[in-house]
Amino acid sequence: MPLISRSPDTGVWLLNTPKTSYALRIDTSGVPTHIAWGPRLTSEEADALVVPDPPPASSFEGRPQVGEELPADNGTRYGPSSLQIRHTDGSRAFEWQPSGERLVEDLSGTAELVLEFCDSLYPVRVALHYRVHDDTDVLERWAVLHNAGDRHLRVPRADSAAWTLPPLRDYRLSHVTGQWSAETQLRRDRLPYGETVLTSRRGITSHHANPWAMLDDGTAGEDHGRVWSTALAWSGSWRLTVQRTSDGRAGLTGGVGHEGTFIPLAPGEVFTTPVFAGLYSEGGYGAASRAWHAYTRAHVLPHGRETAPVLYNSWEATGFDVDEGGHKILAERAAALGAELYVVDDGWFGARRNDRAGLGDWSPAPDLFPAGLGPLSDTVHRLGMRFGLWVEPEMVNPDSELYRAHPDWVLHLPGRRRTELRNQLVLNFARRDVADWAHDWLTRLVGEHGIDFLKWDMNRAFSEAGWPGPADGNDRLWTRYVTHLYDVIDRLRAEHPTLRIETCSGGGGRVDLGILARTDQAWASDNTDAVDRLPIQHGFGQVYPSRVMSAWVTDVPNQLTGRSVPLRFRFHVAMAGLLGIGGDLTRWSEGELAEGAALVAQYKDVRHLVQHGHLYRLTEPLGEGPTVVQYLSDDAAELLLLAYRPSPRHGTPSPPVRLAGLPDGARYRDAESGAVHHSGVLTKYGLHLDMPRGTWTSIATHLVRLPDQT
Ligand code: GLA
């Protein structure tokens, strides 16, 4: 069956992914209308789903509030608009007039449908794009707006897509909320009637919400049930509006910007929205997450199949107290522990001895690095590690050479206060000269100092977001900032193909499919307390794969929470993602260094499972635990279990944990103990986890499939 086809009888476009179908058509009035999103359909079945809308029941009703592909402000539409274009006469209508359709299928297993429209009155064009792949059920959608006239337009809303759910008995919404050091806290609640807005108004994706949503009928679980999920690939302000209508339907619309911001569209200008991807899946939240993970690795990340190195990062060890000598000592210890990438964090440049000065002056501080970064980079390379550096290109401390030279380079509103957060202001990346300046020093830095890895940080939200100068600057900056950020990273990557980048924004403030399309991993949270990390990682992994989830083992008592948990536990938590070490290794005892080295070696043995395998969340990080995650290889030949437990009440043993995804009739051998287990027992009766006694104990169990008995 072709990936995309059009029914000659009904005009229904049917888009097929391996297990799902999506159907739409242009209705008799020219409006792109939703037909179906769910299990696979034949084209006759899709045709049969075309039913005329009932006439409005009263003069107070309008078109159904959900069910269009991109509800435009016009006529009798009373739901949230996905498309609003403010014309020069002040009106905001768009009346769909089909003007063309294109189907592009290539041999690589991808097909794209483009439906083109113009407004019936003004010279504005809108194209809806749909892309499907033959190896994922994730469907990619976006829109392209074109001002074909000679007047400036302001666009209050240009969502990437609206998604329509089938009628269900009930609706439940899953999403994440949070704050700094408490990102990605999973929320799962009944969808209220009315409109539920998930948004960031901070200029970044944010710690407080993340641009994805999952909907089910209230009965799905981790391993069963139908789930409709969507994720927006955008790293600036955004808004998703989830709707539950009074007549019991649900849908959502999403795109860039928050209320009150506009997208300017100059004569001849084209605005391409980011991708808003959608996935229908069966098999519960677990299957939905695994599908997003596989999609992200295969279609989003630039190098999703590459295995990430074990990293050392100096931030919690040294803070701002860095110099060449100290780093060389740490680097030697890190290499001895098994680290493969050594990252110098904040404090290596300009007058940056604390967070009050120097940000923006990106040359190595001569008193700390008298001969520049070369000698340290050479040492790190000689020790067999790659060399990484922290940068925060979008920021400036007012106490810096850069700010003294260019006070107009920051986001600001003339005549108003410039609010500092962490003593810094936001450089206006929407300005071409600012973005070019950042690109120029970054490419020079990377080229001259043998830098293999950048931790790209962004440590504050926008405020007084203004761009004096261009007439439409205050509108334009919201999107232009992000596209220039993407452009700088894209150029850097093209110029330095072996460079790898970690996205960070005071932890997980800028993690989304847009930034992941041009970075390699993400710092999930500044909170490195292993116990707090469990729910953070649980929420992170709902959509984003372990392949990108950077996690460090740091010292105790934890700097943020004061909690102390065993070294082994800290390792086992970090091993659920990209293992990194962030402790002060000059203070680790011989015993700790030896235990750490053994755990790093163990991680290297199993990291292919964590980074490229399939994640099963066997239990949730709640209550007495144990919290158990399982990573299964693609061919089910190997799996890793990581289990974490607080001290059990009354010393009660934990119940057996049922594994998932194993083939029937297989036997697995515990790589450490040699014990042999039958897959039927493991999946139907469960495995007794041999958790040590004590507080916050953990185990890592590696099971390898034995050849089948004949
Ligand atoms: C942010 C990051 C930290 C660290 C500091 C340095 O908070 O999230 O990991 O790099 O900045 O100032």
Side-chain angles (χ1 to χ4, degrees):
M1 188 137 42
L3 293 174
I4 302 182
S5 60
R6 183 177 184 278
S7 158
D9 303 332
T10 56
V12 168
W13 284 101
L14 181 61
L15 287 69
N16 287 316
T17 69
K19 292 196 289 265
T20 76
S21 287
Y22 188 94
L24 72 148
R25 71 168 192 145
I26 295 172
D27 76 5
T28 45
S29 54
V31 177
T33 308
H34 181 75
I35 305 283
W37 180 26
R40 269 300 276 260
L41 292 165
T42 63
S43 88
E44 295 80 58
E45 288 166 343
D47 281 350
L49 289 170
V50 179
V51 282
D53 280 335
S58 79
S59 58
F60 300 97
E61 309 302 327
R63 292 183 69 105
Q65 267 184 228
V66 298
E68 290 185 20
E69 290 295 282
L70 199 71
D73 191 345
N74 189 36
T76 60
R77 291 184 184 84
Y78 306 111
S81 295
S82 302
L83 179 66
Q84 258 181 355
I85 299 171
R86 201 178 149 89
H87 302 286
T88 34
D89 66 4
S91 66
R92 301 199 300 197
F94 184 87
E95 211 167 65
W96 299 93
Q97 234 178 43
S99 59
E101 45 196 42
R102 279 183 290 130
L103 178 58
V104 191
E105 256 184 284
D106 64 24
L107 296 174
S108 65
T110 295
E112 186 179 326
L113 170 66
V114 187
L115 299 177
E116 294 164 332
F117 303 86
C118 50
D119 178 41
S120 59
L121 186 61
Y122 289 116
V124 184
R125 302 200 184 121
V126 176
L128 305 184
H129 290 246
Y130 298 80
R131 186 163 57 207
V132 289
H133 306 274
D134 65 4
D135 62 350
T136 174
D137 291 318
V138 173
L139 162 66
E140 296 166 327
R141 296 181 54 191
W142 68 100
V144 177
L145 275 64
H146 176 195
N147 178 358
D150 54 8
R151 305 279 188 85
H152 284 264
L153 302 177
R154 292 177 94 202
V155 178
R157 201 68 213 153
D159 278 356
S160 303
W163 295 93
T164 301
L165 268 80
L168 301 176
R169 226 186 262 269
D170 199 356
Y171 293 96
R172 181 169 49 179
L173 172 66
S174 305
H175 64 114
V176 286
T177 62
Q179 56 189 40
W180 175 77
S181 273
E183 296 86 340
T184 54
Q185 306 293 313
L186 180 63
R187 310 288 172 207
R188 188 157 278 158
D189 298 307
R190 194 162 186 228
L191 181 66
Y193 283 87
E195 292 164 25
T196 301
V197 175
L198 313 176
T199 190
S200 162
R201 304 185 179 98
R202 293 161 206 263
I204 49 171
T205 326
S206 93
H207 302 76
H208 303 75
N210 198 274
W212 64 258
M214 292 191 186
L215 287 159
D216 72 285
D217 69 0
T219 64
E222 190 60 30
D223 59 3
H224 65 274
R226 307 194 297 165
V227 177
W228 288 261
S229 46
T230 59
L232 180 71
W234 186 246
S235 313
S237 286
W238 54 271
R239 188 175 77 191
L240 303 191
T241 305
V242 193
Q243 215 191 151
R244 184 168 188 172
T245 63
S246 2
D247 61 355
R249 294 294 305 268
L252 71 163
T253 179
V256 307
H258 54 273
E259 75 290 340
T261 59
F262 291 85
I263 298 162
L265 213 52
E269 191 172 354
V270 169
F271 176 73
T272 303
T273 73
V275 165
F276 190 19
L279 165 75
Y280 164 74
S281 53
E282 296 173 5
Y285 309 120
S289 298
R290 285 187 291 282
W292 282 109
H293 298 167
Y295 161 74
T296 306
R297 287 187 306 237
H299 296 286
V300 178
L301 293 169
H303 304 282
R305 293 192 170 85
E306 194 173 278
T307 298
V310 173
L311 155 169
Y312 179 83
N313 178 292
S314 62
W315 176 243
E316 287 206 17
T318 64
F320 287 102
D321 193 8
V322 294
D323 65 12
E324 187 181 308
H327 269 297
K328 283 183 171 167
I329 295 169
L330 269 177
E332 269 171 33
R333 298 244 166 165
L337 209 58
E340 299 156 312
L341 164 64
Y342 185 85
V343 186
V344 174
D345 210 280
D346 200 351
W348 56 269
F349 51 90
R352 185 81 168 169
R353 300 300 167 275
N354 50 52
D355 65 15
R356 292 188 295 280
L359 206 48
D361 302 336
W362 296 102
S363 358
D367 48 333
L368 308 176
F369 298 92
L373 291 171
L376 178 59
S377 166
D378 289 347
T379 302
V380 168
H381 286 137
R382 216 176 17 252
L383 286 165
M385 298 184 290
R386 285 180 245 177
F387 183 53
L389 207 56
W390 179 93
V391 291
E392 197 182 359
E394 302 150 77
M395 293 292 154
V396 65
N397 284 128
D399 185 0
S400 65
E401 297 304 323
L402 181 73
Y403 189 71
R404 283 185 277 275
H406 298 288
D408 53 330
W409 273 15
V410 298
L411 294 178
H412 68 284
L413 296 168
R416 294 193 187 274
R417 96 157 58 96
R418 301 179 178 197
T419 304
E420 292 174 26
L421 293 169
R422 208 191 188 206
N423 312 301
Q424 62 197 54
L425 297 169
V426 183
L427 288 173
N428 183 359
F429 255 51
R431 286 175 58 139
R432 187 77 260 173
D433 53 354
V434 173
D436 283 346
W437 161 84
H439 163 264
D440 292 351
W441 70 258
L442 279 160
T443 197
R444 217 175 322 114
L445 182 78
V446 171
E448 284 173 7
H449 299 292
I451 287 161
D452 307 300
F453 178 93
L454 290 175
K455 174 178 173 186
W456 184 303
D457 210 341
M458 196 294 183
N459 270 318
R460 59 157 292 178
F462 288 13
S463 66
E464 296 91 25
W467 177 7
D472 57 11
N474 291 3
D475 288 340
R476 194 171 285 282
L477 73 91
W478 293 97
T479 46
R480 185 60 66 79
Y481 183 102
V482 180
T483 51
H484 278 178
L485 167 73
Y486 289 170
D487 175 59
V488 172
I489 300 178
D490 292 345
R491 281 156 73 194
L492 263 187
R493 297 192 75 99
E495 290 152 358
H496 308 280
T498 59
L499 178 71
R500 298 292 174 265
I501 301 177
E502 178 171 69
T503 176
C504 173
S505 176
R510 196 161 59 194
V511 183
D512 55 79
L513 297 178
I515 202 77
L516 290 179
R518 40 191 52 83
T519 53
D520 302 282
Q521 57 193 70
W523 181 227
S525 180
D526 276 350
N527 186 339
T528 59
D529 177 321
V531 175
D532 280 357
R533 271 274 171 157
L534 289 175
I536 292 174
Q537 297 187 170
H538 183 69
F540 185 99
Q542 297 294 315
V543 169
Y544 307 118
S546 313
R547 171 60 187 79
V548 304
M549 190 176 70
S550 185
W552 310 337
V553 175
T554 55
D555 293 336
V556 289
N558 183 270
Q559 288 185 1
L560 180 77
T561 64
R563 185 172 5 223
S564 293
V565 297
L567 186 66
R568 194 175 176 73
F569 185 88
R570 283 174 270 150
F571 262 95
H572 284 157
V573 172
M575 281 165 67
L578 305 186
L579 174 66
I581 319 290
D584 182 354
L585 299 180
T586 61
R587 301 213 297 207
W588 284 28
S589 68
E590 287 305 316
E592 286 171 326
L593 289 171
E595 188 179 4
L599 286 158
V600 170
Q602 188 187 5
Y603 177 71
K604 289 179 182 171
D605 280 346
V606 295
R607 69 174 149 189
H608 58 288
L609 300 170
V610 175
Q611 297 187 17
H612 309 294
H614 305 281
L615 167 68
Y616 291 84
R617 297 176 289 253
L618 300 183
T619 64
E620 290 187 11
L622 292 173
E624 289 191 42
T627 300
V628 189
V629 289
Q630 172 193 315
Y631 298 89
L632 182 64
S633 65
D634 215 20
D635 56 3
E638 276 182 276
L639 66 92
L640 172 73
L641 288 176
L642 292 168
Y644 318 101
R645 193 179 63 167
S647 40
R649 291 178 66 203
H650 319 301
T652 313
S654 308
V657 174
R658 287 166 56 198
L659 276 48
L662 308 186
D664 286 343
R667 293 173 312 140
Y668 287 85
R669 183 173 177 280
D670 186 319
E672 204 182 350
S673 72
V676 173
H677 304 278
H678 294 273
S679 61
V681 175
L682 292 174
T683 55
K684 294 181 200 130
Y685 292 86
L687 176 68
H688 276 287
L689 298 173
D690 197 9
M691 303 296 296
R693 286 159 64 87
T695 299
W696 290 111
T697 58
S698 57
I699 54 168
T701 302
H702 182 194
L703 300 183
V704 181
R705 187 171 177 179
L706 291 171
D708 288 342
Q709 283 167 317
T710 47

